[in-house]
Amino acid sequence: MTRAAALRSALYVPGDRPDMLAKAPSRGADALIVDLEDAVPPAGKDRARSTVAAWLAGRKTDPAGPAVWVRVNSGERGHDDVRALLGRGVTGFFVAKAESAEDIDAVARLLADDPSAALCPVLESAAAVLAAPRIAGCPRVTRLQLGEADLRADLGVSLGPGEPELLWARSHVVLASAAAGLAPPMAPAGTDVHDLAALKAGTEAFKRLGFRGRTCVHPAQLPVVHEVFTPTPDELARARDLVSRFESAHGGAMLDEGGRMVDEAVVRRARRLLSETPVPVLDRGATEDGPSPSGA
């Protein structure tokens, strides 16, 4: 399966807020996740779906703008969400509370008329995490996502310093994604929109585990996440130099610029850095309103 495009950030936008939807594309995120699930109260689900459909129909598609995903509800309500929004220019659907491969297969069958629409199952329970390898192999799945708030509730865990309680689940999802040839998962959102130092430290920890990119609930988080997941010019230059040296040596033994022996595994990491580096999106107005729980 072809890896999905690399994303440093994805900004959640409530699907029942036309004002936020209108501003969202200019916030500077690499992708938007229009939310029909947790951000919308049960009584407003149908209205939110209509609001998103109208926004998609009226928006001007910008090739340089953010990709647009929609987080749909679980079960039959989610199937109705997909039917209503399919073919309206969305990159794909985040499938909330995906429990099994059978759940994802059922959604994938709804995409028959849109060959480009992708799926990102959101794993929010112990059963879903354990089923990650099978879910990763389902049709149309291009990446996996952890839903950690619900997962913590399902497991009954409280997070301590460094959050070791979820280390196994996080690494398992990274492994399942790599084994299936999917894009690396994006880290779950940090909900404290004021403590940007903690956001940076946590995002760096996710990066060390193999996550690439992070979802955000407020535009103020975007510059921090972009800083962590955007390689520096020096890092890119070193990676290009390493690949060039290796290719000039025709895959034989070689030394890097520091005189250290380089093997294929080191070069693979350099190539991956270059291939996964997204084109930066201008951080327009990311903090103009200041932190607030409003999302977008």
Side-chain angles (χ1 to χ4, degrees):
M1 180 177 293
T2 302
R3 289 183 181 273
L7 298 173
R8 298 168 301 170
S9 64
L11 179 65
Y12 279 105
V13 188
D16 60 348
R17 293 290 304 272
D19 56 330
M20 292 184 179
L21 288 168
K23 293 187 293 183
S26 66
R27 291 302 200 178
D30 290 348
L32 304 176
I33 305 173
V34 179
D35 193 4
L36 293 177
E37 198 228 2
D38 281 347
V40 180
K45 299 281 189 183
D46 291 341
R47 181 171 61 85
R49 184 193 299 146
S50 298
T51 297
V52 173
W55 175 72
L56 290 170
R59 74 187 181 99
K60 294 181 179 179
T61 303
D62 179 3
V68 176
W69 293 74
V70 179
R71 180 163 73 169
V72 299
N73 293 280
S74 58
E76 286 301 319
R77 183 183 290 277
H79 293 185
D80 290 341
D81 293 337
V82 171
R83 292 187 187 100
L85 302 178
L86 192 64
R88 295 181 180 268
V90 298
T91 298
F93 300 94
F94 276 57
V95 182
K97 296 178 175 59
E99 289 288 297
S100 67
E102 289 72 23
D103 288 347
I104 300 304
D105 285 339
V107 179
R109 287 194 290 272
L110 301 176
L111 307 183
D113 293 333
D114 188 342
S116 65
L119 295 177
C120 175
V122 186
L123 314 180
E124 305 183 59
S125 69
V129 171
L130 290 176
R134 290 191 62 218
I135 292 173
C138 289
R140 301 298 188 99
V141 172
T142 58
R143 56 172 29 98
L144 301 176
Q145 181 73 22
L146 269 176
E148 290 195 353
D150 284 275
L151 180 60
R152 291 199 303 270
D154 194 39
L155 298 178
V157 302
S158 299
L159 298 183
E163 303 181 350
E165 297 80 8
L166 290 180
L167 176 60
W168 185 88
R170 292 168 177 172
S171 292
H172 182 64
V173 172
V174 172
L175 284 166
S177 299
L182 306 184
M186 302 184 77
T191 55
D192 186 342
V193 301
H194 297 282
D195 193 344
L196 298 182
L199 175 72
K200 182 176 182 180
T203 304
E204 288 172 339
F206 275 112
K207 182 180 178 181
R208 290 192 295 271
L209 282 177
F211 288 80
R212 293 294 180 267
R214 189 167 193 180
T215 58
C216 299
V217 295
H218 192 276
Q221 297 174 321
L222 294 171
V224 175
V225 168
H226 287 178
E227 179 185 354
V228 173
F229 287 110
T230 303
T232 67
D234 284 347
E235 289 172 332
L236 292 173
R238 285 196 298 270
R240 292 189 189 101
D241 179 70
L242 192 63
V243 172
S244 177
R245 287 168 179 264
F246 189 75
E247 291 176 348
S248 296
H250 303 290
M254 57 162 284
L255 303 178
D256 67 11
E257 74 280 3
R260 296 176 291 260
M261 182 66 71
V262 173
D263 61 12
E264 174 63 28
V266 176
V267 177
R268 281 179 62 196
R269 292 189 64 184
R271 287 190 176 120
R272 182 166 183 168
L273 175 68
L274 296 172
S275 68
E276 289 183 350
T277 299
V279 176
V281 175
L282 182 63
D283 295 326
R284 298 171 295 236
T287 60
E288 65 184 37
D289 296 329
S292 101
S294 61

